Amino acid sequence: MTEQVETHEFQAESRKVLDIVINSLYTERDIFVRELVSNAADALEKFRHKSLVEKPEFDAHVPLEITIDCDDKKHTLTISDTGIGMNRQELETNLGTIAHSGSSQFWDQLAEAARKDINLIGQFGVGFYSAFMAAKKLRVQSRSWDGSEGHEWESDGGGTYTIRPCPGLHRGTRIIIELKDDAHEYATKFTIERIIKQYSSFVPFPIKVEGKTVNTVQAIWTRSRNEISEEEYTEFYKFIANTVDEPLYRLHFSADAPLGIDALLYVPKENYERLGMGRMQPGVNLYCQKVLIDQHSENILPDWLRFLKGVVDSQDLPLNISRQTLQDNALVVKLRRVLTKRFLKFLKEQAQSDAEKYKTFWQTFGIFIKEGVTTDFEYRDELGGLLRFASSKSDNGALVSLDDYIGRMREGQSEIYFINGPSRTALEHGPYVEMFRKRDIEIIYTLEPIDDFVLNHLGEYDGKKLVSADRADLRLPPAETGTTEEQAEDEKKEALETDKVTALCSWLREVLGERVQEVVASDRLVDSPAMIVNADSYMTSSMERVLQANAQEENLTMTGKKNMEINPANELIKKLSHLRESDQDFARDVAWQIFDNAMIQAGLLVDSQQMVSRSYRILEKVAEGD
Ligand code: ADP
Ligand code: MG
């Protein structure tokens, strides 16, 4: 017998998780019970599914349930289930390794997060190991549904575990926990019952503690809405999302056509991806008549809705559908479309009825809506309506929608304008916004680098083109009549004469050489001497910035064609026109400095070394002249 005992080392990642679990999560140990019970429930669901599809014979009579026994003399806690079980190989892969292996940075973040928020354990699927918070030693006895011989896995949470044959088992898994000296309370019935009620009351199988069933089995999503209390909804969310938080939004709906659906979807409070936790797994489970078909389903919602938690039940799906065929199943495709449309409509309604709350949603999950715009053409219009931005007409921190914007468009205006920049202040002091201010046209401020990609993908909204204000071919409606018109007249009077402007432009083009495609007199600058505009309609300065940052790593240069517009009414431009006749060298320095300044205002890269030496030359000249 002894020679059949094999000793294995834990995979390196597993050891790290074990260390984190054992050392840093000491305070909220209760949750290990929830983790083991939820594993037992998963195993039972899997068996229930198997038994419907494959009709296994081995131990077919054994009822589906979870049994918990406490021995407060020996200080052991035993959790048994009659679920799918594990064979020898499965014990090794499922309990000795972690599927979610990642970079070492990932583990550091996990350690950090685990210190701050216990709920993250569940999110990372390190559930089983949480038993070591309370266990001195852990034995897992398991026999697979296929009837192959049973085995026992054993470990004290150090570097190794053993696996040996264990005859005489029924189907399922029994976990025997020898409790640490300071964790003896978990061998009392009272404590275990309390924890089950708190965390596991929705488990759809009987949980028997010392022979008595302590949970009530309820698939609340198939009940009618007015029969379900707020508390039940929230409790169900906590169960399904493996959290202690309350949800931000909840959508419970049923449909009969085009196919029968009961769905209960929740938006959580936190976005763990934003906290640097790596990519989220989808959080919605697919059921058919309360039988789990696809856990964390990747098929029933688009990828960009992976932040949702909940259940979807459709009685029209065939029970024996396999995970592989789900993807191509026409009903599933239909289901996905209905769910997505319904959820986006729900968000729109929420935004209308409580803008403040929607703003919270937007700040936490807006990035997923943007991801949707850039990846999913099918829902473009709905998604476009959910976007929110700062704008020249949004007061302190308020956000506007594209519909708000359209409602305020000036007569004769047919396009939606936007400009990217690091902050509202930077944008309002830069050259791109001044012409909009003067014409009283609203302009959207896209403050995230990704925003220009998003709006470019969107292309248009409600029939109105989305146009970046740093485009060379921008044509704004004229300023409104009245005072602004008069101002324009004033400016014209003071401006440099046309022939001088033409000459200056071609001289500048010569000086700047390859760096610009064209230099032209601007009809949109108000105060600033110059600005950079993009001649390629698909490129904005912000996009170029993002591309350049990536290209630098690969030693490429990524630049779109640039034009420089100059302002003939600006004092510096007027002086430059004279200067280039009296002092060529100095004038060239000034020209380059104007160009670099405009590049900086466009958020684009300049050669800082050259710029510094040049500006010293200019300063020297100025100091001399005095
Ligand atoms: P997760 O539940 O997120 O997959 P866990 O660490 O909780 O991660 O469990 C790891 C794996 O061990 C499970 O995916 C499952 O395959 C297996 N497992 C754990 N407990 C049981 C059980 N009671 N019955 C069968 N398999 C189990
Ligand atoms: Mg688990």
Side-chain angles (χ1 to χ4, degrees), residues 39-40 42-43 46 81 84-86 94-95 125-129 173 175:
N39 283 351
D42 288 350
K46 285 179 197 160
D81 66 70
I84 195 163
M86 285 177 273
N94 296 344
L95 307 184
V126 298
F128 171 75
Y129 292 131
T173 303
I175 301 185

Side-chain angles (χ1 to χ4, degrees), residues 1-14:
M1 204 70 170
T2 31
E3 58 267 32
Q4 284 183 290
V5 179
E6 281 186 12
T7 304
H8 300 262
E9 292 198 358
F10 282 103
Q11 173 205 35
E13 274 89 352
S14 301

Side-chain angles (χ1 to χ4, degrees), residues 89 97 148 165 189 207 262 272 317 333 372 374 448 456 532 536:
Q89 185 54 46
T97 61
S148 61
K189 192 177 155 215
I207 303 175
D262 291 299
Y272 290 108
L317 292 176
V333 171
T374 57
E448 303 290 337
N456 252 325
I532 298 296
D536 295 326

Side-chain angles (χ1 to χ4, degrees), residues 98 527 616:
I98 283 199
D527 300 315
Y616 279 139

Side-chain angles (χ1 to χ4, degrees), residues 270-493:
E270 276 298 345
N271 170 359
Y272 290 108
E273 279 189 25
R274 196 177 56 168
L275 301 176
M277 304 276 78
R279 201 176 168 80
M280 260 185 244
Q281 296 301 305
V284 180
N285 299 337
L286 177 62
Y287 286 76
C288 173
Q289 296 171 48
K290 300 183 201 170
V291 177
L292 186 68
I293 293 187
D294 191 15
Q295 188 162 29
H296 307 304
S297 181
E298 292 179 358
N299 301 299
I300 50 172
L301 287 167
D303 211 21
W304 45 270
L305 287 177
R306 60 187 176 277
F307 61 95
L308 288 180
K309 309 281 182 193
V311 300
V312 171
D313 195 320
S314 178
Q315 63 269 34
D316 294 338
L317 292 176
L319 245 189
N320 61 353
I321 192 168
S322 77
R323 283 187 180 217
Q324 287 73 33
T325 55
L326 271 174
Q327 211 176 345
D328 312 314
N329 185 289
L331 282 175
V332 176
V333 171
K334 211 177 264 179
L335 178 67
R336 175 185 165 117
R337 206 180 141 76
V338 173
L339 287 172
T340 307
K341 290 253 177 201
R342 184 66 186 83
F343 180 70
L344 294 179
K345 183 172 152 231
F346 167 80
L347 281 182
K348 188 179 174 189
E349 290 160 1
Q350 294 302 311
Q352 279 162 354
S353 65
D354 187 346
E356 214 30 55
K357 188 170 175 188
Y358 182 75
K359 190 175 161 191
T360 307
F361 166 82
W362 175 252
Q363 282 161 344
T364 316
F365 296 102
I367 187 73
F368 291 99
I369 302 296
K370 292 178 186 177
E371 186 182 320
V373 174
T374 57
T375 57
D376 219 334
F377 201 74
E378 192 176 351
Y379 308 103
R380 214 169 51 137
D381 294 343
E382 289 93 335
L383 287 166
L386 295 171
L387 297 172
R388 293 293 182 275
F389 298 101
S391 98
S392 58
K393 299 223 168 145
S394 66
D395 308 324
N396 276 342
L399 298 176
V400 306
S401 68
L402 296 179
D403 291 302
D404 295 336
Y405 183 101
I406 290 171
R408 285 192 288 260
M409 270 171 48
R410 262 194 48 189
E411 229 179 278
Q413 181 186 347
S414 60
E415 296 175 327
I416 300 173
Y417 301 106
F418 65 93
I419 184 73
N420 184 272
S423 69
R424 171 183 289 271
T425 322
L427 282 170
E428 291 185 341
H429 287 88
Y432 300 100
V433 170
E434 47 191 48
M435 53 196 159
F436 288 88
R437 199 181 303 128
K438 183 173 154 187
R439 289 171 166 80
D440 193 33
I441 294 174
E442 180 167 8
I443 177 166
I444 285 171
Y445 300 154
T446 59
L447 303 177
E448 303 290 337
I450 189 192
D451 287 345
D452 284 18
F453 285 99
V454 173
L455 292 180
N456 252 325
H457 268 271
L458 196 57
E460 57 173 63
Y461 181 74
D462 196 13
K464 320 272 186 300
K465 260 215 178 101
L466 289 149
V467 177
S468 176
D470 58 15
R471 284 237 331 233
D473 57 358
L474 191 72
R475 287 288 162 268
L476 291 181
E480 274 180 333
T481 49
T483 47
T484 38
E485 186 94 330
E486 284 158 29
Q487 277 166 10
E489 281 304 307
D490 290 349
E491 279 155 22
K492 269 210 190 96
K493 256 179 258 158

